[in-house]
């Protein structure tokens, strides 16, 4: 009943759950100092942690697609993590702009681009078109707005 929501289950994480992204029966959780956690939600009343991977910074947000999770990892930048095997996530690549004000707080995919909320350094747009290496890196610094 939408007028009386109730908690049907809970799962504690070691960090501070900041952001999440559902991908089918899997939930990716950005868990602050706890890194990235992958949770099986196939039974909504019994979620269970499948795996986790520590990240070098503070995981604020996460999005995932095509077996790749992208984590906004605060001052440590953006972490790309191979989650194609949810039982064994593996780091792929990290991105940092070199700007000491850069503080990755939010992430999303837009086609072959990654959109990153970079704190005081504004919006960063990463080019992920070379998906075989995830090494192509271009930045658009946008402080007050963006036209795409």
């Amino acid at each position: 009943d939408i007028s009386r929501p109730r908690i049907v289950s809970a799962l504690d994480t070691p960090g501070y759950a900041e952001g999440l992204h559902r991908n089918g029966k899997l939930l990716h959780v950005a868990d602050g100092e706890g890194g990235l956690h992958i949770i099986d939600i196939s039974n909504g009343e019994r979620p269970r942690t499948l795996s986790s991977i520590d990240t070098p910074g503070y995981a604020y947000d996460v999005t995932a697609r095509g077996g790749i999770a992208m984590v906004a990892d605060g001052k440590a930048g953006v972490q790309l993590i191979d989650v194609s095997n949810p039982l064994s996530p593996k780091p792929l690549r990290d991105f940092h702009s070199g700007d000491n004000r850069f503080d990755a707080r939010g992430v999303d995919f837009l086609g072959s681009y990654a959109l990153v909320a970079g704190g005081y350094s504004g919006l960063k747009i990463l080019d992920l078109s070379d998906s075989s290496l995830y090494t192509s890196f271009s930045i658009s610094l946008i402080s007050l707005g963006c036209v795409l």
Side-chain angles (χ1 to χ4, degrees):
D1 180 0
I2 198 164
S3 65
R4 287 181 284 202
R6 64 184 178 86
I7 296 173
V8 296
S9 65
L11 181 68
D12 196 12
T13 58
Y16 190 84
E18 291 276 1
L20 55 86
H21 178 83
R22 185 185 61 80
N23 191 355
K25 304 284 184 173
L26 296 177
L27 187 66
H28 298 88
V29 178
D31 196 40
E33 293 172 351
L36 173 67
H37 291 260
I38 302 174
I39 298 170
D40 177 353
I41 56 170
S42 58
N43 179 344
E45 294 185 7
R46 289 199 174 146
R48 64 186 180 96
T49 300
L50 296 176
S51 63
S52 64
I53 185 169
D54 194 17
T55 58
Y58 186 93
Y60 284 101
D61 192 22
V62 62
T63 190
R65 107 176 155 195
I68 305 294
M70 181 170 48
V71 178
D73 208 29
K75 292 288 188 186
V78 175
Q79 309 299 316
L80 292 177
I81 299 170
D82 179 351
V83 293
S84 58
N85 177 354
L87 299 175
S88 181
K90 299 197 178 348
L92 285 175
R93 176 74 206 248
D94 67 316
F95 295 102
H96 199 281
S97 73
D99 177 350
N100 64 1
R101 299 177 313 146
F102 183 66
D103 190 9
R105 295 294 182 110
V107 288
D108 202 0
F109 286 109
L110 176 65
S112 64
Y113 296 103
L115 307 176
V116 181
Y120 285 112
S121 65
L123 172 67
K124 307 289 187 194
I125 301 175
L126 311 179
D127 180 4
L128 301 177
S129 59
D130 184 357
S131 62
S132 65
L133 299 175
Y134 285 100
T135 57
S136 181
F137 183 44
S138 65
I139 301 174
S140 295
L141 293 174
I142 302 167
S143 313
L144 300 175
C146 141
V147 177
L148 297 177

